[in-house]
Amino acid sequence: MDKQQADLVIKNYIKPLYGFALNKTGKIDEAEELAGRITLEVYQAILKKTELLDMNSYVFKIAHYVWAKFVGEKVKSSNQLRIDDNEVMSRDEGFDEVIRQETAGALRREIAFLSHQQREIVVRYYYGGMKISEIAAEMSLSSGTVKWHLFEAKKELKHKMNTIRSMGNLGINPIRMTGLGHSGSPGNKGDTADFLATTIRQNIAFSAYHKPLTVNEIAEELGISPVFIEDEIESLEDYGFMDRLPGGKYRTNMYIEDPSSTKSEALYHLYKEYAEIAVEHYFKQFFSMGEVFRGTGVYIPGGDVNLLLWSLIPYAGKQLNFKELNRVSDEEVSVSRKDGGHYVAYATIHRDFDVSFDPKQYYYCGDMNRDSDEHALKAWQVDTWWCGRQGSWRDNLSSDYISLMHVIKGDLPQNDVNIDAYRRLFDKQYLLRAESGLEVNIVYCKDKPTGERLHAAIPQPSERIKEAAKKLDQAVYQVNLDGQPEHAHKYVRYWSQNSMASGILRAFVLKHLVDIGMLKVPDPHRQKGISTIMLMNQS
């Protein structure tokens, strides 16, 4: 019988079973306890039955069985402890001795694994010295419900204290996450790196990634008390990092990549191969277009086309995004967070293994878009191994571009009022000191027509590139799919699609262009200004 049907049966029999119990005991308090026992026994029994020809006979057969067991316990028990002025509750022989003598380590541990409500009742009753009527009033429950929970809690505790509770693998060997990030817009509380900043939250998320777990199961996997993780799980659920499923189970709602040497090597060779294809069939032509790009009126730091290409090539890489190849949309995987964020979260498990290449040289963070409607300003930036910037997206501030725009326009005086703005621009190398005065060190378009001309000059990708992009997506998907649970396959597809336009592929393109001598590594004082484009007067 399914749960919904069983709930309906219990609802219909609550009053008859209480009448049966009251008739047998003649005492209200004992009747409530007996009725609670019978109700539980009936509920557990009918859940296991697929078909019952005579429900009424079956229910009262169980009632008489529980009644006989109840009487036997009463006869056997030689002591009944008064627990309220007008209430008497039979306590299990031996269990109250455990409470009084506090064989506490095991007991307190198992109390922590009770449900939240039962734990609160047990603690109030046995450790707080409260009467059942007081607990009932404080928790807005009936006295009978409190008694029933105490009975069930005692039974559960007695059973669990005779078993050995094992510690899960994460309690012995916890994981650590790196590369915590997002695609979309973070909220006022930050992004994945903020919500999963602690080891305990990272391990909670990982524990329920491959299969749904209850709070207690997560606690056992981590080898700690549920008391310490309930609030953590609730917060992760509130902000969309975990989903609560039927049966009180939780499942992690994000993409967690678990890398290995085999996967890393496979992806390295894929990206290296397709970066060479992208250079040969798309980016190589940029190097013969210097005069075309100059003709748009775009500002080039130092007039050096090499510096322009350090920005324009990763910027143009967005052109290799063929949306018609997408199988998973942003909305299918993005989550609207309580703090205003709207993004899909990802993280990578830190694993120590050797590979044949230097992963740091292929670092990429972006595309980071900043804008100001008030100032009709837009800016784009990516971080790579070559730029040497620190702070990632958190230190990429719209206010810096606004300050730089005012410097370009000549309306940001160099005085004490603006000293912090200038200090930022110099520290970030957006602005340099030259013999002739101040020099802007990023690519920018002074007005909307200049920006339109620059965009028009960027070549369109060919069908050859589009076909390569399709093959790359499928190959990356197959590599990333290994070891991923079924519910996460949509995330795997999302993070594997448009790989030709991805940041990692663009990092491989830059590395290949440096290796073959087409791109020259910028001088140190120029590096922090590369891979940045500012568009002014966009209204």
Side-chain angles (χ1 to χ4, degrees), residues 23 57 75 88 95 124 145 148 151 168 181 227 274 383 421 436 450 507 538:
N23 182 56
S57 296
V75 172
V88 174
F95 184 80
R124 282 175 166 85
T145 299
W148 180 80
F151 171 77
V227 175
Y274 280 86
D383 281 348
S436 57
T450 303
Q538 293 299 295

Side-chain angles (χ1 to χ4, degrees), residues 21 30-41 144 148 151-152:
E30 289 189 359
E32 288 179 342
E33 182 179 356
L34 177 58
R37 293 194 193 187
I38 295 171
T39 301
L40 178 65
E41 198 74 26
W148 180 80
F151 171 77
E152 286 303 307

Side-chain angles (χ1 to χ4, degrees), residues 298 308 311-312 315 378-381 401 442-445 454 531-535:
V298 62
L308 171 66
S311 293
L312 202 57
Y315 183 77
K378 295 183 182 297
W380 164 92
Q381 185 178 86
Y401 299 108
I442 69 170
V443 172
Y444 72 85
C445 295
L454 181 63
S531 303
T532 306
I533 295 178
M534 185 170 70
L535 305 170

Side-chain angles (χ1 to χ4, degrees), residues 187-428:
N188 57 38
K189 289 185 178 294
D191 79 332
T192 319
D194 299 285
F195 284 96
L196 298 184
T198 62
T199 300
I200 191 168
R201 284 195 173 190
Q202 292 177 11
N203 282 271
I204 288 170
F206 186 60
S207 70
Y209 185 65
H210 289 276
K211 66 177 182 178
L213 299 176
T214 64
V215 172
N216 281 3
E217 289 169 338
I218 293 172
E220 288 187 352
E221 180 62 25
L222 271 60
I224 58 178
S225 166
V227 175
F228 297 115
I229 65 170
E230 286 175 333
D231 290 344
E232 304 284 359
I233 293 172
E234 182 180 352
S235 179
L236 291 174
E237 180 193 3
D238 282 348
Y239 285 89
F241 290 90
M242 300 189 82
D243 291 331
R244 181 165 185 162
L245 306 179
K249 291 182 179 289
Y250 291 86
R251 185 172 66 197
T252 303
N253 182 34
M254 58 180 289
Y255 179 52
I256 301 178
E257 172 59 27
D258 196 350
S260 67
S261 175
T262 301
K263 289 171 69 172
S264 295
E265 291 287 354
L267 289 172
Y268 168 75
H269 289 293
L270 269 175
Y271 286 125
K272 191 172 187 297
E273 175 189 352
Y274 280 86
E276 292 175 10
I277 293 173
V279 167
E280 184 63 31
H281 295 278
Y282 184 62
F283 291 109
K284 184 179 285 187
Q285 61 189 307
F286 284 52
F287 290 83
S288 61
M289 296 178 62
E291 292 307 312
V292 175
F293 294 137
R294 286 182 191 276
T296 66
V298 62
Y299 171 82
I300 304 172
D304 186 351
V305 173
N306 182 64
L307 292 177
L308 171 66
L309 293 178
W310 270 103
S311 293
L312 202 57
I313 285 173
Y315 183 77
K318 296 188 297 181
Q319 300 270 34
L320 306 186
N321 183 335
F322 303 102
K323 293 189 180 297
E324 61 268 30
L325 299 182
N326 288 1
R327 298 190 185 183
V328 180
S329 68
D330 290 338
E331 290 306 310
E332 288 180 74
V333 289
S334 294
V335 176
S336 293
R337 319 281 173 176
K338 284 176 60 175
D339 63 341
H342 185 76
Y343 57 88
V344 53
Y346 68 84
T348 301
I349 305 299
H350 175 75
R351 302 291 188 195
D352 287 319
F353 52 82
D354 295 325
V355 290
S356 61
F357 57 97
D358 183 359
K360 295 193 296 293
Q361 294 187 354
Y362 300 95
Y363 167 74
Y364 194 96
C365 179
D367 299 277
M368 297 178 282
N369 296 292
R370 301 292 181 264
D371 58 68
S372 169
D373 292 336
E374 179 185 356
H375 297 281
L377 178 72
K378 295 183 182 297
W380 164 92
Q381 185 178 86
V382 296
D383 281 348
T384 69
W385 163 259
W386 311 100
C387 71
R389 287 188 287 264
Q390 303 294 322
S392 189
W393 64 271
R394 299 173 192 274
D395 196 45
N396 187 12
L397 307 179
S398 297
S399 58
D400 293 330
Y401 299 108
I402 294 171
S403 296
L404 186 60
M405 178 195 69
H406 286 301
V407 171
I408 293 169
K409 290 183 175 182
D411 55 12
L412 190 71
Q414 296 187 56
N415 54 31
D416 291 343
V417 175
N418 299 317
I419 190 171
D420 288 336
Y422 273 98
R423 183 181 293 117
R424 283 277 301 178
L425 295 177
F426 287 126
D427 287 345
K428 295 180 74 66

